[in-house]
Amino acid sequence: MKIAIMGAMVEEITPLLEFFGKYETIEHAKNRYYTTSYKGMDLVIAYSKIGKVNASLTASTLIEKFGAQKLLFSGVAGALNPSLKVGDLLVATKLAQHDLDITAFGHPHGYVPEGSVYVETDKALTSLAKKVAFAQKIPLLEGIIATGDQFICDGVKKEWIHTTFNADATEMEGASVAVVCDALNVPFCVLRAISDAADMDAGFSFDEFLVSSAKESAQFIIAMLDEL
Ligand code: ADE
């Protein structure tokens, strides 16, 4: 079984590379892919760089070039749901692109013809995440993630995304990874630890908590691997 683990920023995969210790580095398409093995599984790990286009390229490469059969995304997100605090973990049930807008033609926000507003994640991986959370007594919210090529740091925009997509958290890659995995029939999950509240203080909070929240998420992904 070959598993891809993907983040968007170097901070999101560094805890993984530190944990696995030994890995090979392969350069491809202006990026680096790290391969290793763990408990009989072949792993390929990469960070995409920020945003939906980079994330789509990396997810596609992990699957089409490296042969990943499952994809686990690990990283940080801004909270939209007021019950989510810095460090809390969220596993996505479905994801939408909040900045995809052809409402001029009567379509709902996030919709493109022949697509859908939401892409659902793999139910077996979500169940696995819940099992790990229960066993480790870690609170884990199942919720909706809204993705866009924007760092959200504004109360009005935050509220719009929250209400329009019923979304619990926002980030900049998940829904594009979801589109790729769904199209290529690869089971995937998106796990995020909260780094900020997507409000006017989000930039400061993100800078302060990126490393610690990214580590929370990565550690949880390792615990999931132990149960895969
Ligand atoms: N990732 C972490 N926090 C975020 C925010 N506020 N907006 C977009 N992506 C994020």
Side-chain angles (χ1 to χ4, degrees):
M1 173 66 79
K2 190 173 254 192
I3 316 276
I5 312 175
M6 178 179 164
M9 301 175 70
V10 68
E11 291 85 350
E12 291 171 329
I13 67 158
T14 297
L16 298 165
L17 297 179
E18 283 176 359
F19 176 79
F20 296 119
K22 270 182 74 178
Y23 46 83
E24 256 188 63
T25 305
I26 298 158
E27 300 222 356
H28 179 75
K30 295 194 176 174
N31 206 354
R32 283 179 296 280
Y33 292 81
Y34 305 95
T35 59
T36 188
S37 59
Y38 180 65
K39 297 194 172 172
M41 292 171 279
D42 290 323
L43 303 181
V44 52
I45 302 166
Y47 74 93
S48 56
K49 294 171 271 186
I50 292 166
K52 293 192 293 175
V53 173
N54 284 324
S56 306
L57 172 62
T58 299
S60 304
T61 303
L62 286 165
I63 295 166
E64 297 276 52
K65 179 175 169 65
F66 290 93
Q69 294 158 289
K70 288 185 199 293
L71 189 151
L72 316 178
F73 191 103
S74 179
V76 302
L80 303 175
N81 178 334
S83 77
L84 281 171
K85 303 289 176 249
V86 167
D88 287 352
L89 285 168
L90 171 93
V91 65
T93 50
K94 56 185 184 175
L95 302 97
Q97 298 179 59
H98 67 69
D99 56 352
L100 208 172
D101 183 351
I102 52 164
T103 54
F105 302 95
H107 295 297
H109 284 279
Y111 179 82
V112 275
E114 299 180 55
S116 56
V117 174
Y118 297 98
V119 178
E120 291 188 7
T121 55
D122 182 62
K123 291 196 172 48
L125 287 172
T126 304
S127 301
L128 176 69
K130 282 166 69 179
K131 187 178 143 191
V132 167
F134 183 77
Q136 301 210 357
K137 299 190 173 61
I138 297 170
L140 173 71
L141 187 78
E142 277 180 79
I144 299 173
I145 288 180
T147 301
D149 284 323
Q150 297 160 2
F151 183 83
I152 306 301
C153 50
D154 168 89
V156 174
K157 184 87 202 211
K158 166 184 173 168
E159 207 39 46
W160 180 84
I161 298 170
H162 180 51
T163 52
T164 306
F165 296 93
N166 196 22
D168 297 290
T170 187
E171 36 84 308
M172 303 179 68
E173 298 81 22
S176 60
V177 172
V179 169
V180 169
C181 291
D182 180 60
L184 297 173
N185 255 316
V186 169
F188 73 99
C189 72
V190 179
L191 181 79
R192 296 276 188 175
I194 298 304
S195 57
D196 59 83
D199 56 9
M200 59 189 274
D201 298 323
F204 301 107
S205 181
F206 180 88
D207 281 343
E208 188 172 349
F209 296 110
L210 166 63
V211 168
S212 57
S213 292
K215 196 168 176 189
E216 296 276 340
S217 180
Q219 281 171 341
F220 194 91
I221 289 284
I222 293 164
M224 283 178 70
L225 283 182
D226 286 333
E227 300 296 325
L228 256 177

